[in-house]
Amino acid sequence: NAGVTQTPKFQVLKTGQSMTLQCAQDMNHEYMSWYRQDPGMGLRLIHYSVGAGITDQGEVPNGYNVSRSTTEDFPLRLLSAAPSQTSVYFCASSSRDRGTYEQYFGPGTRLTVT
Amino acid sequence: AQKITQTQPGMFVQEKEAVTLDCTYDTSDPSYGLFWYKQPSSGEMIFLIYQGSYDQQNATEGRYSLNFQKARKSANLVISASQLGDSAMYFCAMREGRGRLTGGGNKLTFGTGTQLKVEL
């Protein structure tokens, strides 16, 4: 049981480039989310999903796209990278089977945009 | 208004002593949950403890306990018998509502964190 996995661990992009951050979970969780962590600001929600085919925007969605075609995968796409998107990105999943909705986090992807 | 406020950017505690990390929250939803996560220097997010808004008793998990004062909207984390390995960033977070209509409980709002340093 790998839990939540994210690839890549590190990435450097040039301004204007696009890329996809991968996230997968093997716990059959229906809920998945993407957060970004910037210094001094805690984690902020980018996009989330309550099931395959259903996604919605979080607090800071601009510049990012998501889709959820399977329960397991929830990729995050940067359409045209900007230096303001330099951050650490965390993917998380949770299930209502646990009454707490405890979120399980992946190890994070550190992205630098130059 | 900030939904989650952590007013202590940094804290020091001596090994084996207890420490309290403060968290206040703001919500009008009667159904919510409060979480504490630990983030060591390696970067991963580690779940510590959870308190539901309808829970009658304060949550405890080993050396961690949550001092939940609903009327004051505070959810302070108490770490007893601090260890050197407790040195990390600690985040308070809140889930509002539950079920698919409110994001399935998958929308957490985080505070800015408290950096805890345990000293010998």
Side-chain angles (χ1 to χ4, degrees), chain A residues 33-37 43-47 76 87-92 103 105, chain B residues 105-110:
Chain A
S33 303
W34 276 102
Y35 295 85
R36 60 177 287 173
Q37 183 178 22
L43 279 72
R44 292 181 294 166
L45 183 65
I46 306 172
H47 285 284
L76 178 72
S87 189
V88 180
Y89 292 84
F90 287 98
C91 179
Q103 297 213 16
F105 283 86
Chain B
N106 210 37
K107 297 167 64 177
L108 290 188
T109 302
F110 282 81

Side-chain angles (χ1 to χ4, degrees), chain B residues 48-69:
Chain B
L48 295 178
I49 197 166
Y50 168 83
Q51 181 84 42
S53 58
Y54 296 119
D55 293 343
Q56 295 296 313
Q57 296 192 335
N58 286 347
T60 59
E61 290 282 353
R63 294 185 299 112
Y64 304 108
S65 60
L66 202 153
N67 184 0
F68 181 47
Q69 297 189 41

Side-chain angles (χ1 to χ4, degrees), chain B residues 20-99:
Chain B
T20 298
L21 307 184
D22 294 341
C23 173
T24 58
Y25 60 92
D26 184 31
T27 181
S28 56
D29 196 319
S31 176
Y32 56 90
L34 296 153
F35 300 79
W36 278 92
Y37 281 87
K38 172 184 178 181
Q39 187 177 43
S41 57
S42 51
E44 70 268 31
M45 296 291 288
I46 301 168
F47 167 75
L48 295 178
I49 197 166
Y50 168 83
Q51 181 84 42
S53 58
Y54 296 119
D55 293 343
Q56 295 296 313
Q57 296 192 335
N58 286 347
T60 59
E61 290 282 353
R63 294 185 299 112
Y64 304 108
S65 60
L66 202 153
N67 184 0
F68 181 47
Q69 297 189 41
K70 197 168 180 177
R72 298 177 64 182
K73 293 191 174 178
S74 75
N76 298 339
L77 177 70
V78 180
I79 306 175
S80 63
S82 297
Q83 302 171 355
L84 294 177
D86 294 334
S87 294
M89 180 72 88
Y90 289 80
F91 290 100
C92 180
M94 177 172 64
R95 162 188 61 75
E96 293 173 279
R98 56 175 67 230

